[in-house]
């Protein structure tokens, strides 16, 4: 967020200027100068203001420039974080499936997708939520079109900032429970909600979500009874912790240090500056 600061033009008042009254002693009149008056030049300085109208005009212009820069910056920031393809929603194509590989990476995509995107994220990470809320719908559209498959590497290093101490791990486990059923649209809807402002817990907040609440969210996303029961039981939490650790190692091996990290064709994408990275996928 941009913090605005206002500058007040300063004027230095030099109105008080010392005046010098130089009284020249009168000289005795010379008989030759009788009848003539000697004229003496005044030595008193006229006070002058050091600041003029132009000073205030320039100061006012400076304030207008600063205000324009601040407003422009806010508008630019808002345009960068505005949701792309807003209104599209999560994945809708029933041909889109999910799978979980042995290291716990969830792949979401239609068979034969031509491009692959790797996303490293943590369910407690607010910047991951920003990424999802900005680009999630645009990515869903590309996934539905069969252009892109996304590989989600879900980490849990932010467990320490969750009130329960293991929320990130349990969110990984819940995601894997749904993905294991192969239901692409249900996983996509759950994933989108996981990072929504209404659902994501605050770092160092007062509460996060229980397994029962995660299971309810999964059911609302269209997950099967099998997936809902898997989440409720917490059966996959231990495996999820191991998978998350492997994900952190893969993140480091890729040359990245934090979440979210997006990798396309082996190259890390700077999503903070490259706002057209999804559109460029084809």
């Amino acid at each position: 967020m941009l913090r605005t600061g206002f500058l007040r033009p300063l004027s230095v008042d030099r109105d008080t200027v010392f005046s010098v009254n130089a009284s020249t002693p009168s000289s005795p009149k010379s008989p030759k100068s009788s009848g003539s008056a000697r004229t003496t030049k005044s030595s008193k300085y006229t006070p002058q203001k050091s600041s003029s109208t132009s000073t205030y005009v320039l100061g006012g212009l400076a304030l207008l420039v600063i205000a324009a820069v601040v407003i422009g910056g806010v508008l630019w920031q808002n345009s960068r974080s505005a949701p792309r393809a807003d209104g599209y929603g999560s994945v809708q194509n029933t041909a889109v499936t999910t799978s979980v590989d042995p290291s716990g990476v969830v792949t979401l995509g239609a068979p034969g997708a031509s491009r692959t995107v790797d996303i490293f994220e943590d369910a407690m990470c607010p910047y991951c939520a920003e990424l999802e809320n900005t680009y999630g719908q645009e990515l869903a559209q590309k996934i539905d079109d069969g252009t892109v498959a996304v590989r989600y590497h879900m980490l849990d290093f932010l467990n320490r900032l969750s009130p329960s101490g293991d929320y990130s791990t349990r969110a990984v486990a819940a995601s894997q429970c749904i993905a294991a059923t192969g239901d692409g649209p249900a996983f996509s809807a759950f994933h989108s909600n996981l990072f929504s402002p209404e659902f994501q817990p605050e770092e160092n907040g007062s509460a996060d979500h229980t397994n029962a609440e995660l299971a309810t969210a999964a059911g609302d996303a269209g997950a099967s009874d099998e997936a809902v029961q898997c989440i409720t039981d917490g059966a996959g939490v231990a495996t999820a912790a191991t998978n998350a650790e492997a994900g952190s190692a893969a993140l480091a091996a890729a040359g990245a240090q934090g979440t979210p990290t997006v990798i396309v064709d082996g190259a890390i994408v700077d999503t903070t500056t490259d706002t057209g990275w999804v559109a460029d996928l084809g």
Side-chain angles (χ1 to χ4, degrees):
M1 295 178 65
L2 297 173
R3 297 186 179 178
T4 59
F6 295 92
L7 303 177
R8 178 176 297 172
L10 301 177
S11 60
V12 179
D13 188 359
R14 297 181 184 171
D15 286 353
T16 304
V17 178
F18 290 104
S19 301
V20 179
N21 290 317
S23 300
T24 305
S26 58
S27 303
K29 290 184 179 179
S30 168
K32 293 183 178 180
S33 62
S34 177
S36 66
R38 177 178 297 220
T39 303
T40 58
K41 189 175 182 180
S42 173
S43 62
K44 183 160 63 174
Y45 293 98
T46 302
Q48 296 282 339
K49 289 187 176 181
S50 64
S51 60
S52 61
T53 302
S54 62
T55 303
Y56 291 97
V57 170
L58 291 174
L61 289 174
L63 283 176
L64 289 175
V65 170
I66 292 170
V69 170
V70 169
I71 292 172
V74 170
L75 293 176
W76 178 73
Q77 176 66 25
N78 288 342
S79 68
R80 286 175 61 247
S81 58
R84 270 64 171 172
D86 194 21
Y88 185 82
S90 56
V91 167
Q92 303 161 28
N93 186 352
T94 55
V96 173
T97 61
T98 52
S99 62
V100 185
D101 73 11
S103 62
V105 178
V106 173
T107 299
L108 172 68
S114 58
R115 304 294 297 274
T116 300
V117 175
D118 286 85
I119 298 179
F120 293 79
E121 59 189 5
D122 187 306
M124 283 293 297
C125 166
Y127 298 107
C128 299
E130 184 177 315
L131 179 75
E132 172 64 25
N133 294 327
T134 302
Y135 298 105
Q137 295 180 80
E138 190 177 21
L139 267 176
Q141 195 170 37
K142 295 286 187 184
I143 294 168
D144 276 341
D145 291 344
T147 304
V148 175
V150 178
R151 287 165 40 89
Y152 292 99
H153 305 252
M154 302 193 69
L155 313 183
D156 65 357
F157 68 97
L158 291 177
N159 270 334
R160 56 190 172 80
L161 298 182
S162 68
S164 65
D166 65 352
Y167 175 75
S168 292
T169 305
R170 292 187 291 105
V172 174
S175 300
Q176 291 174 343
C177 283
I178 301 171
T181 67
D183 191 333
F187 174 85
S188 179
F190 177 79
H191 181 269
S192 177
N193 184 53
L194 196 66
F195 290 99
S196 69
E198 297 78 18
F199 193 85
Q200 186 185 45
E202 290 185 6
E203 293 179 319
N204 294 313
S206 58
D208 51 41
H209 297 292
T210 64
N211 286 345
E213 289 169 337
L214 287 168
T216 297
D220 292 342
S224 66
D225 291 343
E226 176 189 355
V228 170
Q229 191 61 50
C230 172
I231 298 170
T232 302
D233 294 343
V237 173
T239 300
T242 301
N243 294 157
E245 186 175 351
S248 293
L251 178 65
Q257 297 180 345
T259 57
T261 290
V262 175
I263 299 177
V264 178
D265 297 333
I268 297 174
V269 178
D270 185 355
T271 59
T272 61
T273 57
D274 184 3
T275 56
W277 68 274
V278 177
D280 292 342
L281 292 171

